[in-house]
Amino acid sequence: MIRWLPFEGVAALRFMREGWIQTIFILVGVSLGVAVTVFESSVLTGVQANFLSRVLTSQAHIVLLPPDEVARPLHAGPGLVEDAALQRPNQRLRSIDQWQTIRETVTATPGVRIIASIASGAALAVRGDATAAISLIGAEPDAYFSIVRVPDYIVAGTLRLTSDDILIGTELAILLGVTVGDRLLVTARSDTPRALTITAIFDLGSKGANLRTTFVAFRTGQSLLNLVGGVTSLEIAVDDAFAAETIAQDLATRTGVRADSWIKTNAQFFTAVQAQNTSNVVISAAVALSVAFGVASVLVVSVVQRGREIGILRAMGARRGQVLRVFLIQGGALGILGAVLGSLMGAVLLLIWHDQVRQTDGTELFPFILDPVLIGGTIAFAAIVGVLAGMAPAMQAARLEPSVAIRG
Amino acid sequence: MLLSGIRKSFNIGSPAEVEILHGIDLTLEHGAFCALIGPSGSGKSTLLNIIGLLDRQSAGRLAIGGQDTSGLDDAALTRLRGRRIGFVFQAHNLIPAFTAAENVMMPMLLNRGWADAGMRLSAEALLDRVGMTRWRDARVANLSGGQAQRVSIARALVMNPVLVLADEPTGNLDTASADGVFDMMHAMNQEQGMTFLIVTHDPRLAKRCGRIIELVDGQVVRGAA
């Protein structure tokens, strides 16, 4: 007999061993429930992390833009509006006023990791008879490419962005029939076309983005867009991506320009994440309930089957509390054992799923993340659920009168 | 042990109320070896349950070793029962999840909470005394009725109780096994001086007891004092 366990622990383990068929069945049930929870939560965490990583490496955390131009009513005198019909003006391409000062302010703001000046706008790419409308992004390569990880998506050529170079997407290359080393004629607001050399072709994972997006050097962008000395936006990366909205609001207040955080511009993403998390909680709660009822039903049957033995133990001096704890320990042990086995099953399933299910480009759908906090939390939660599930049968056992129980 | 005016009713307060024991007065002196006999339904098992503190009397007084048990709560009764009373049941009632030796250790384990080497030694000594050394590590399901009853006797004695209550301990045994078990209880009584109260339907065995108490319709008709 194990000496380091009290009577309650020894009896609980022996009862579980003796009723091994019931024990195995309920352990399988608990394990499957826990495996589903661990697998689902891990996949969800992985997919969200992957998506988040893609979102955060393909756009800036905060974008500073010039404020919208608005029409003001014409006042004939104090309190007297001469023409009240206001038409929203079109938003012409223009530079952020005093952008150098704003850039210095932003750079000195705590939490800001890097800032890049951008001159971007619409342009036309021409190759022979073929033309395509493009979005021209003139950027300082060192700063901008450490915010938006374009180098990670290059599929042909090398990343070089001098004043005569251009990076284009795979779809645009197909449309215009060009490849690395070819030259493109690009026309924008300046009316002076520039012939630029394609140094690299990228694949951002979106057909639309691959067709429209092009990158040129910052000064080339300024020149083509007729924005010499100006910037259309300042793009910022911060240390904590989830603090972006707070920092954006602070910057907007202090600089007077528009500051859009990725959190604000991707509100739909957060709604989807919230919906996924809620459904995960609901599924986990349903699993926990079914585990609880499973454990409880097995223990209720066990109490009925062991009624006489409980009576004998009571006759030999077992206190009600001892009988109660024997069944509570069984509930907790079933929960813990089931959770450990279930976590292992969930991890194996996750590993198989991670290896087998890939994105269309062959990259992993989600990173293999087995959160120790999730596993520990699941095991602790399963133990609590097991003990709570054992409460009713344990009380039923403890209430048995020995003379009645022995008669059977 | 002293019983005074013990009454026991069931379904109290309902139209189906029935009184099983009608004022039992009984004294058992220390070291007695008594048989409790009577026809079926006379209240023998009910009386045994009350004496064994497994059930409470509806009225009357019960004292064990000079201690009045009437005012004790469930925890105190359990403690007293575990330390001072041993039980031998008709259907041995060993716990199948434990071995023979572990069953014998059980009252000590329940009393102390944890197992220790001394408990094992005490259990083995008693199993040796009842001739069950060879089967000390056997599962109780593999023991014969006589063997299981010997283990049951060892279990009843392990706490060195003042009183051993045996409810038809030979009822399920053949004659030879029944004699063996009875002889063993008698020997224990002689050697260790503990009081035995044995319910039996076997007049042959009852006659071998020092005292016979006869119960008929809930009243002691013979051997009250």
Side-chain angles (χ1 to χ4, degrees), chain A residues 18-96:
Chain A
E18 200 198 5
W20 63 272
I21 294 180
Q22 277 172 307
T23 304
I24 285 176
F25 278 2
I26 191 60
L27 276 181
V28 169
V30 175
S31 304
L32 285 175
V34 170
V36 166
T37 305
V38 167
F39 174 74
E40 196 202 6
S41 301
S42 299
V43 168
L44 204 59
T45 306
V47 169
Q48 284 175 3
N50 202 18
F51 191 75
L52 203 61
S53 158
R54 279 181 175 251
V55 167
L56 291 178
T57 54
S58 61
Q59 67 181 103
H61 299 163
I62 300 169
V63 180
L64 299 186
L65 298 161
D68 277 357
E69 290 184 289
V70 293
R72 294 188 178 82
L74 185 61
H75 291 271
L80 185 62
V81 177
E82 189 167 278
D83 187 356
L86 294 178
Q87 191 175 19
R88 181 179 163 79
N90 57 7
Q91 301 297 314
R92 63 199 163 90
L93 189 69
R94 61 202 172 95
S95 174
I96 297 174

Side-chain angles (χ1 to χ4, degrees), chain A residues 380-399:
Chain A
F381 184 64
I384 292 168
V385 167
V387 170
L388 290 177
M391 194 65 83
M395 287 169 71
Q396 181 191 354
R399 275 199 300 264

